[in-house]
Each structure stands twice: as C-alpha cells, then as structure tokens.
Amino acid sequence: MDVRPSGIHHVTAIASDPQANADFYLNALGMRMVKRTVNFDAPETYHFYYGDRAGNPGTIMTFFPWPDAPRGKIGAGQATTTTFSVPEGSLGWWAEHLAGLNVETTRPSERGEEDVLSLRDPDGLIIELAASADHHDTDPWDGGVVPTDHAIRGIRAVTLTEQDAEGTAQMLGGQLGFHLHSEDGDRMRFRTNDTGDGVGTIVDVLADPKAERGVVAAGTVHHVAYRAPDTPVQDAWRQRLERDGVGVTEIRDRTYFTSIYFREPGGVLLEIATDGPGFDYDEPLLELGRSLKLPPWLEPNHQQIAASLPRVEVNQ
C-alpha cells in the first residue's frame, strides 16, 4: 500500500484572545471559519478551524485560543513559518490591504524561486503569503473581505527549524516518502510529489545549530498534519511507523477526520489525518462555523461547555 503523504492536511497553532484571532483570520486574511468547536482533549478551550469554502484538506489553519495564554518562543524543534498560496501577481494587493489594517509586512530580499510577503498574526505567529502559479484544487472563500482573485488558495508550505537537521531529513526522505527537491544554503526543500502542484506539498527544513529551542505557547505552532486519503492508508502509516520504532499514538476520532500523532527527530509534533468525513459532517455547508459544534461524547454537556467559553462574534 502506498503510504506517501499527499500533502498538508492542516496546521494547528496556539493563540490567546479568541476574538482577536477570529477577527484577524476572517478580516485580515479573508479565510472562512469552517468549524467552531472545542479542544477535544481540553473542552474548556475553543478550537477554531479556518479554510476555504468547504474546509478542504490542505487549506486548514486551526487554533487553540487560550485567553491570557503566555507568549511562546519561536525556535528550534518547531514549525516556525506557515506559508499560504495566493494567486500570482497578488502580493501588491495584499501589501496594500494589510497596511490598511496596520499589519506590518516585509518582503524577504532573497528567497530562491518564490516571491513572498511576511507578516505576523496578533500573537506573533509568523505567516507568509507566497505568490504562486501552481494549480490548487481548492475552493477559495468568496464570502469574506478579500476578492476571490486574490484569496488564499491553501497552505503552500511549512518551515521546520532544526538544530540538527540530519535526522529530520532522513525521516522525511525515508519513512515519510518526501522528495528532496532542492538545497539552498541552510534550507532543504522537500516535496510530497514530483510536480509540486497542489496545496501543502512543500516542507522546508532550515538548519540552524545555534537556534534556541522553541517554547510552545501563544504565537507558536502546536503541530503539522499531513493527509491520508482514508483510514486503511492511515492504519498502514501507523503500522509502518510502529515497525520502525517511532512512538505513534493509537487512531483518535476527531469527528471531522481521524488522527495519529508522532514526533520527528527534531521534536516537531506531526499528525496524519484522514481526508474525511469532513467539516459538513454535522452541519450544512452553508452554515459552517456559525455555531458551536461538539462531538457526540461532549454533546450532553453542551449548555455547560458553551457557558464556560468566552463570547465570540463571527461575521461571515
């Protein structure tokens, strides 16, 4: 069975103020909130999912917003940058749009094949917008503030910063089936396929032996999830990782997908998530994200859980 990854499924990060988080990803980046639920392992905390119109795998950025959470430290052993794809020629529009919202942006002077715009979200998380002519089989959200011609297409890449990149490179190229696409100084670029098309097909490994270890809290990435088309392939992944001596969890039910978790040698928490059943599992496509949805085992306590969460206004 082919267990090579088919791209990024989602990236999950930590935030502090839930309202500030929602305002930024809806009104600054123009994404759709496709699910408003709770952290299944800590239901006193929200879990927000943002993505394209349907929340297709590869477009999803998720957050655990803990009010008053301390600021984390971005560093080694983390996914330090999340890069979104926007249409070719869109960066000028984005720079003007973000400047109008007082969001500071920079354009790295050298970045190989890419033209990117770098910014930070309200908690300091590093975000990039990369102009790309790649084909993306996603459905950009047209109900927000960003015109469809400029809208985010999905997650293009993540960057892993490592003190010792050798073990990470070996896992990506060996057990996880990525292709080493290019090397540019201290940056190795891996792809999940030969063509580079599609969302979430890139992972950059940045070797920085002097980098201090990161601290996971507000403004840092918690984990990166890659896609498995279905549960049999996910189970094959799990068996292979276990056979190779990688500590991997049992398959966990996340309602909208199932997941397994493990760490790569540098310390980044990785997940393999199934494509289905998807975010319209428990509410119609047109209603995604408008109300709090809970998994069946928490639903009996819906009223109590909802009352314990901060009030958040979502206009979309």
Side-chain angles (χ1 to χ4, degrees), residues 284-295:
L285 186 62
L286 293 176
E287 301 295 326
L288 292 183
R290 293 184 178 176
S291 61
L292 179 69
K293 307 302 291 187
L294 298 178

Side-chain angles (χ1 to χ4, degrees), residues 99-110:
L101 299 172
N102 296 317
V103 177
E104 185 178 348
T105 61
T106 58
R107 296 180 87 146
S109 57
E110 294 183 9

Side-chain angles (χ1 to χ4, degrees), residues 23 36 72 82 116 128 133 159 161 168 210 213 215 237 254 269 291 301 304 316:
D23 289 344
R36 189 190 325 186
T82 303
V116 305
E128 288 182 340
T159 299
T161 297
T168 302
K210 296 182 180 179
R213 296 288 297 181
V215 176
W237 272 102
R254 299 309 190 192
L269 181 63
S291 61
N301 298 318
Q304 177 185 354
Q316 61 179 8

